[in-house]
């Protein structure tokens, strides 16, 4: 019998992916939690999203697959009731109320919990996760970007002064399940469009984690007419680096013991099919030694490594389970 | 009764689009020409692709919607038979045999015609087209890039030293009609993939037309799971420019009398739906004055403005017809 | 200068298609009419949907591209103000209040206009349309079914006792532009689903026009993950008929002077690509003489022949213009 | 350590699905076998498709995910070398050389093995599979049809004289991985088309298994622009049956202990999303008691229950393993 874990927002795309993963997890027992405002068919198995339910159901962890506004309200409640919380919204990712106010255009109502939250990117924050009460599960776009950029920035092979471009593309599930004209079939099929150019809410997660200044980083989000998957094409100028192999060697060394990173050999470039429905992040590189032009392609599934898979990876770390449990 | 014009390669996607446009053109009468090696159902209306047919059919212009190898052989034949030629392949675009050899990895067999060919981008080469015997119709990717970049480069508002990134995405028809695994439905649907990173054959057309050095320009081609349309997201650092409005003003002035350029107002970004099945190129801009980060989005239909529509625009110029005839 | 015609619901998919067709129409001048409850961006060119606007704008015809409830209210108002009305909803198609009440589950509030309305299927009701004040433009599914079935039923070659099956598939635009989970991209892509089996509101239009009893006709509507287009596969047992050619001959004779009907030769079957963005209805037949099993495939574009194109065809008839004006 | 099983045709869509399933199977160890004529990248792990390899690799079972012509040649070779064979082509499904000659338009070269082969539809042929040397894995379309029709035919509730219609739709992977114009992205996207009307090779599998005469059964195959999944809409007249519940009760009783059949409650209809990437067959019913019109909807994943999943189900039976092993 496994650890009981609650899921708020289980009808959304990330929440449903979480249920799918946890149902196959050998050591977790998912409990759907009904939150007022949820729409969708009845779910007889659901318990109310309340402090009482946390205790009655003996929930060790509660996942919040909810919008930031709901998470701001629910996280403290669930934490006070004794559960540890993995929040999949942007509510607790940005460290300071000032940064949150700037990018989310509203005041943060839980600054203490914001300060205490641990950013749940295991590849770079693994040590702090096992003891965390509140984990801020990373955004989908930042995950693909940070996993591609941070090893190279740490190795000092990117000419930051020349600027970094991250051209990001996502499947439509990234916009959530709530119906809108923007995500209607007829508006999306046979189309491709850009949005939130330079101003996407996910930008500060890259700046904070990769250690970049805003003026060094140009980011565009774009909608692909597919269900799930993210591909980011990242451009920069190399520094002290001669070949694609040099860059690949940095990744291979940094990620040698990472279970969810796959580095492509020279000449091979990731695509979305290879990562769909997996928790992998695939990375490939093209480099022109003469000019220093570098292109890195990073691909993940936005619902798995970009959301629910990462959340389970964090849960495994919090519960002292093998990190890959339920994810391979 | 209109001018008779031949179409070689009328079964391909660009060729079929050409037929579709010309059938509605008030002053042209399309004649399909059957080229050995063509596959597809019988076309009783087709004449052989021969010098005799050029004369018998009184063809003023012959469109070659054929691969570069076929165009290298057919263009001189059609020209010698008295027709003017609009070639839609890359055979005659690159000006010198050396450049062709480098990017197409093979020797150019018609250096004289290569030297004489006129690059058919009316917005920047209009004066030379009316007298041209052989027009090299531009590539689809370079058209979207050149129309976005050249006015700004001419105005000196791009910091070339910092490099320009062009992240290009195309519908699958850009790869032609010949079946291949790469363009099979099951490989493309729910996928997104990059190819020819930094090394695409279309790169030199941008370098030549926009007047850039290769080391200044990073280009990636990518496949969107849609039938037709190109969207390019272009990144650079601004120079002597304060706002998006400054950049838009340059476009608006340069393109004031261009019938096929539409410049979006600040805050509005082009998408593929708006240009599909049209000869328009839509351009929009986002700019961060503090850092100089600029993002320009340029959208066309790869089969129309990127191929057949542009070819008809060139034909109109060659025949002294209104440039927009049959294209609005 | 053309006849001025109003369009209510111009932001919906059918309404936008109507605008697109009328903008190219040589003898009509479309005027968008703003109806309370419309959502979407501002349209400065729009006039209010009011009796005054009908007079001020001298509107000869008003198209209602609105839901049945709105049409029930707007049609009498526009008619009383002196315009003729082409209603694209189901409000005035069913002839009697009883039939309407049964299939639309609500009381018809305009029984007099219902009785007076002319069903706008020109191929079978052409004589009554020129004088009609109120034309009920046919539903998309019934149009494809009636054009396929009625000539054969009139010729007496269908064994009605054995029953007729109509398996219908439609693109998503048929469900309208209003966002809903059912038409969200992620719910539709890579899916295929049936709905309203045996009970679709469009069924009575087939029964009335083709002259069938409900028990003789089995109808299923299904959603294809495409933007536009309808394909219906119709099954029955032949009577007094030996071959596919016999059936095709009936169509060819009946539709000899119809501009929008295309009958496929034996062995050739229509698909949606061939009719998309056209006002054609394509029909093909397979027949097994030994057993009498017949399969007829009928394809249209739901937004054109199934809605806006048909509406313009009706307008042309009402205004005494050539029936194909603006539609070829 | 598991039973070693060979896979010929592992690069095709069905073969790749087989590898995917078997890699997670706790008791099987898949061995890719390289067959001359295969195209695709090198697979270092592959062994030759030869009698020697069967022995050297100690292969208990060989799966043939190959076209019928290849299977006709390979099955006897693998069988003679001592392996048991599960053939996923149509080569050994039709029982007699006469039937094969009629539907496959060619002579059967292995009539003895044809006679000995067991049709691998466990829900109806389970008893013969454990001892079978050669299992003919069923076609994808017949599986969805037989699972829907056979219980009702056995119960005598279908009026066979009135005829049965099976309108079938499949994702593009059903056509195999070999590139062709018909399965090219641009030909399929935004399209829907019918093929092999009344004459599909899969028809005899339904006639044989369900016990129908050809004149009683009308079948159309159609291509949906999706990767994987089949939905069949089946029409007939009920006999001695009053309601949908009566039909559902027959299914529920017949399939009470079947692990892969899911019967929908009244009012609920299967779709493709729910069965994609699973080995389930979902069935739903609409019935009009007054007229006897019945519509049954049956959905499977053509690559799983319609091919590789069914093949593993058969393998489990042949090896005495739990039938659901590796499939839930």
């Amino acid at each position: 019998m496994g650890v009981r874990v609650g899921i708020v927002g289980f009808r959304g795309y990330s929440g449903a992916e979480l249920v799918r993963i946890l149902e196959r997890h050998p050591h977790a027992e998912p409990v759907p939690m009904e939150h007022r405002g949820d729409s969708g068919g009845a779910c007889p198995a659901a318990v109310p999203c309340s402090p009482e339910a946390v205790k009655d159901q003996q929930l060790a962890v509660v996942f919040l697959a909810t919008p930031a506004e709901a998470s701001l309200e629910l996280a403290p409640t669930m934490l006070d009731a004794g559960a540890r919380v993995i929040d999949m919204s942007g509510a607790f990712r940005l460290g300071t109320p000032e940064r949150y106010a700037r990018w989310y255009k509203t005041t943060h109502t839980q600054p203490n919990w914001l300060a205490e939250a641990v950013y749940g990117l295991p590849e770079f924050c693994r040590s702090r996760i096992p003891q965390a009460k509140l984990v801020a599960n990373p955004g989908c776009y930042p995950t693909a970007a940070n996993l591609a950029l941070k090893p190279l920035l740490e190795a000092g092979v990117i000419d930051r002064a020349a600027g970094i471009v991250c051209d990001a593309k996502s499947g439509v599930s990234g916009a959530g399940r709530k119906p809108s004209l923007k995500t209607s079939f007829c508006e999306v099929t046979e189309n491709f469009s850009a949005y939130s150019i330079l101003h996407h809410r996910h930008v500060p997660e890259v700046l904070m984690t990769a250690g970049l200044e805003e003026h060094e980083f140009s980011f565009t989000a774009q909608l692909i007419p597919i269900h799930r998957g993210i591909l980011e094409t990242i451009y920069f100028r190399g520094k002290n680096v001669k070949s694609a192999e040099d860059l690949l060697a940095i990744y291979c060394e940094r990620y040698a013991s990472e279970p969810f990173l796959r580095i492509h050999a020279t000449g091979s470039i990731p695509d979305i099919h290879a990562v769909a429905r997996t928790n992998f992040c695939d990375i490939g590189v093209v480099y022109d030694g003469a000019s220093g032009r570098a292109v890195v392609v990073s691909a993940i599934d936005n619902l798995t490594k970009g959301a629910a898979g990462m959340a389970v990876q964090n849960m495994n770390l919090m519960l002292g389970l093998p990190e890959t449990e339920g994810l391979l």
Side-chain angles (χ1 to χ4, degrees), chain A:
Chain A
M1 176 143 164
V3 179
R4 294 173 66 82
V5 298
I7 304 175
V8 191
F10 60 89
R11 288 189 186 86
Y13 291 135
S14 295
E17 176 75 0
L18 200 49
V19 171
R20 192 182 71 86
I21 295 172
L22 290 172
E23 281 176 348
R24 302 176 182 185
H25 195 289
H27 303 301
E29 207 176 321
V31 177
M33 304 185 84
E34 198 74 64
H35 179 234
R36 66 176 152 67
D38 269 22
S39 62
C43 175
V47 303
C49 179
S50 67
E52 294 72 30
V54 170
K55 286 165 194 160
D56 293 351
Q57 298 288 324
Q58 299 181 284
L59 303 179
V61 173
V62 172
F63 293 91
L64 301 178
T66 44
E69 313 80 63
S71 291
L72 282 172
E73 178 202 328
L74 292 172
T77 311
M78 299 291 107
L79 286 158
D80 289 345
R84 298 166 79 185
V85 167
I86 300 174
D87 177 39
M88 297 163 77
S89 82
F92 298 99
R93 292 176 189 155
L94 300 193
T96 70
E98 294 71 28
R99 211 182 271 121
Y100 186 83
R102 166 155 180 226
W103 291 92
Y104 284 75
K105 311 284 179 207
T106 184
T107 305
H108 200 288
T109 56
Q110 302 289 342
N112 292 343
W113 281 116
L114 178 60
E116 183 168 338
V118 171
Y119 192 67
L121 183 64
E123 287 78 3
F124 290 97
C125 322
R126 188 170 282 117
S127 63
R128 297 188 57 208
I129 297 167
Q131 312 305 330
K133 281 191 174 168
L134 170 57
V135 166
N137 208 56
C140 51
Y141 285 127
T143 291
N146 282 321
L147 292 173
L149 283 171
K150 199 161 164 64
L152 304 185
L153 286 164
E154 287 177 346
V157 295
I158 293 183
D159 176 3
R160 290 171 49 167
I164 296 169
V165 164
C166 180
D167 191 89
K169 303 93 178 171
S170 175
V172 183
S173 60
R177 188 164 175 261
K178 198 175 162 202
S180 73
L181 187 59
K182 188 189 147 95
T183 56
S184 283
F185 185 84
C186 292
E187 304 298 314
V188 172
T189 188
E190 297 292 315
N191 202 1
F192 186 89
S193 59
Y195 62 99
S196 302
I197 298 180
L198 297 184
H199 302 299
H200 196 284
R201 286 177 172 189
H202 282 178
V203 165
E205 292 183 55
V206 181
L207 305 184
M208 289 171 67
T209 302
L212 290 169
E213 300 296 319
E214 189 178 349
H215 67 83
E216 296 170 330
F217 187 66
S218 298
F219 180 87
T220 296
Q222 288 155 113
L223 205 59
I224 321 171
I226 64 173
H227 181 177
R228 57 199 289 170
I230 281 179
L231 188 136
E232 300 187 3
T233 314
I234 300 173
Y235 302 80
F236 59 85
R237 296 278 159 161
K239 202 170 68 178
N240 306 323
V241 55
K242 291 201 168 57
S243 67
E245 286 74 15
D246 291 353
L247 295 172
L248 294 172
I250 293 167
Y251 285 124
C252 289
E253 192 185 330
R254 176 62 183 80
Y255 292 143
S257 43
E258 286 299 339
F260 296 119
L261 270 288
R262 298 189 297 200
I263 309 305
H264 278 237
T266 318
S268 170
I269 296 296
D271 69 9
I272 281 179
H273 268 191
V275 296
R277 292 162 210 275
T278 79
N279 202 48
F280 290 110
C281 175
D282 286 3
I283 292 176
V285 168
V286 173
Y287 190 69
D288 176 58
S291 63
R293 289 172 299 157
V295 184
V296 174
V297 175
S298 175
I300 62 169
D301 185 319
N302 60 303
L303 292 180
T304 317
K305 186 63 174 169
M310 184 77 103
V312 172
Q313 198 178 341
N314 281 312
M315 179 198 79
N316 287 337
L317 288 167
M318 291 164 82
L319 298 177
L321 299 168
E323 191 169 335
T324 59
E325 203 76 277
L327 293 169
L328 288 177

